[in-house]
Amino acid sequence: VSTQSTGDGGNFANFLPEDHHWKNLYGSCFLLIMLFVVLIGAEMFAKTNLVIFAIVAVTLIINIVNFFIQDPIDDLHPPSDNSLLNKTVNLSYTSWSRETFLENRGQNYTVDYTTKRFTSFESVFAVLFTGFTGVFAGSNMSGDLKNASKSIPFGTVLSCIVSYFIYISLALMIAFTCSRLLIQSDYLFLEHICKVPGITTVGTFSVTFSASLGAFIGASRILEALALDDILGSLLVVVKKGRSRRGNPWVAVVVSWGILQALLFVGSLSLIAPFVA
């Protein structure tokens, strides 16, 4: 998100400087906020996610409505960080079109302009897979739930159904309205075709923050479980001894933060996702 939301030509905060080090700084600041939330505990995590859910829901509704009310746009251009295309190339939002859908129907893997590597089914699946792993947040937090045996199956199944419906619906809407070149050349094209400026970027920041927060708190619980079961021997012995009065494994949280901070320096989900998936 920060790649296209900061610096010259940014969508959300174009007054902020943009290079590799600045991006790491922005990410580190958000990671510190997440550390604060997770250190407080599961209750704070739930309240934060409730606010984020409301923001994402509003953003999603606005974007869905936008597909039906937005007129065709044929003068969109590649973002500043896309060095694969000339900035004068026109990208088009066609609105609802059978021809556009037929154009997008077949596969046509090309170079990812953020990594300069060729995409494939495996790389696309890896990124999509990470978008579904949030449904397991309840399982990772089973020790913090009042009725885990009931909440986890119901919540996980319902999350899978809702997520699948939303993903499929958005994919079809995009396939019917956006040219293939637009989809491949600008990963924040939804922001550029939306009638409400900035709303898509706010939603993207929010859902990314929520997913990262869920992964953070889940990782700390899994790390503590590995330590308690001596899966890695004495390597995680220090993790066993760090629990707050409310039962929050704060040592596991801090260790998880350190691992996440190191991964943040990689700088690209597309590089990390295949290993995770």
Side-chain angles (χ1 to χ4, degrees):
V1 176
S2 63
T3 300
Q4 295 182 38
S5 298
T6 59
D8 294 336
N11 302 307
F12 186 65
N14 52 17
F15 57 87
L16 295 175
E18 177 193 20
D19 61 29
H20 177 72
H21 300 294
W22 280 106
K23 292 174 186 177
N24 284 334
L25 177 61
Y26 303 145
S28 299
C29 290
F30 276 102
L31 193 56
L32 280 175
I33 296 174
M34 288 189 284
L35 175 63
F36 172 75
V37 172
V38 177
L39 280 175
I40 293 178
E43 186 177 350
M44 183 65 177
F45 167 78
K47 291 179 179 179
T48 303
N49 256 348
L50 186 62
V51 175
I52 294 175
F53 173 77
I55 296 173
V56 173
V58 172
T59 303
L60 185 61
I61 292 171
I62 290 175
N63 275 278
I64 290 175
V65 172
N66 187 78
F67 280 114
F68 294 94
I69 64 175
Q70 180 62 274
D71 297 324
I73 307 173
D74 58 6
D75 58 349
L76 298 170
H77 300 288
S80 59
D81 62 326
N82 187 343
S83 60
L84 301 180
L85 283 180
N86 190 299
K87 298 302 180 288
T88 60
V89 172
N90 287 332
L91 310 176
S92 60
Y93 169 80
T94 65
S95 190
W96 292 88
S97 168
R98 180 175 178 273
E99 289 72 21
T100 302
F101 174 75
L102 294 177
E103 174 195 345
N104 291 327
R105 187 174 55 177
Q107 66 179 27
N108 182 20
Y109 297 109
T110 185
V111 177
D112 179 352
Y113 69 83
T114 63
T115 63
K116 307 301 186 294
R117 296 184 178 186
F118 258 96
T119 56
S120 62
F121 173 81
E122 290 77 12
S123 61
V124 175
F125 174 81
V127 174
L128 184 62
F129 177 83
T130 59
F132 270 91
T133 53
V135 301
F136 299 113
S139 302
N140 296 334
M141 297 174 58
S142 58
D144 299 292
L145 299 175
K146 293 181 180 179
N147 191 350
S149 61
K150 180 180 179 181
S151 300
I152 291 177
F154 177 76
T156 302
V157 172
L158 184 61
S159 297
C160 285
I161 294 173
V162 173
S163 298
Y164 178 80
F165 175 77
I166 292 175
Y167 274 121
I168 291 297
S169 299
L170 285 176
L172 288 174
M173 291 179 186
I174 291 170
F176 270 101
T177 60
C178 300
S179 68
R180 183 185 291 273
L181 189 60
L182 173 61
I183 298 171
Q184 293 176 335
S185 305
D186 184 1
Y187 296 156
L188 284 181
F189 64 89
L190 288 177
E191 168 66 25
H192 299 141
I193 66 175
C194 187
K195 285 182 174 291
V196 183
I199 190 66
T200 304
T201 302
V202 170
T204 306
F205 266 111
S206 299
V207 75
T208 304
F209 185 81
S210 176
S212 302
L213 195 60
F216 192 166
I217 196 169
S220 65
R221 269 55 179 179
I222 293 174
L223 187 64
E224 185 195 31
L226 291 174
L228 293 176
D229 292 339
D230 291 319
I231 301 298
L232 299 178
S234 60
L235 186 62
L236 298 176
V237 65
V238 67
V239 177
K240 296 181 181 180
K241 304 177 180 180
R243 266 187 171 265
S244 66
R245 293 181 179 179
R246 295 185 177 183
N248 191 28
W250 66 270
V251 174
V253 170
V254 174
V255 172
S256 298
W257 169 79
I259 296 172
L260 291 172
Q261 181 64 66
L263 290 174
L264 183 65
F265 292 136
V266 175
S268 174
L269 175 63
S270 298
L271 295 177
I272 300 174
F275 296 100
V276 177

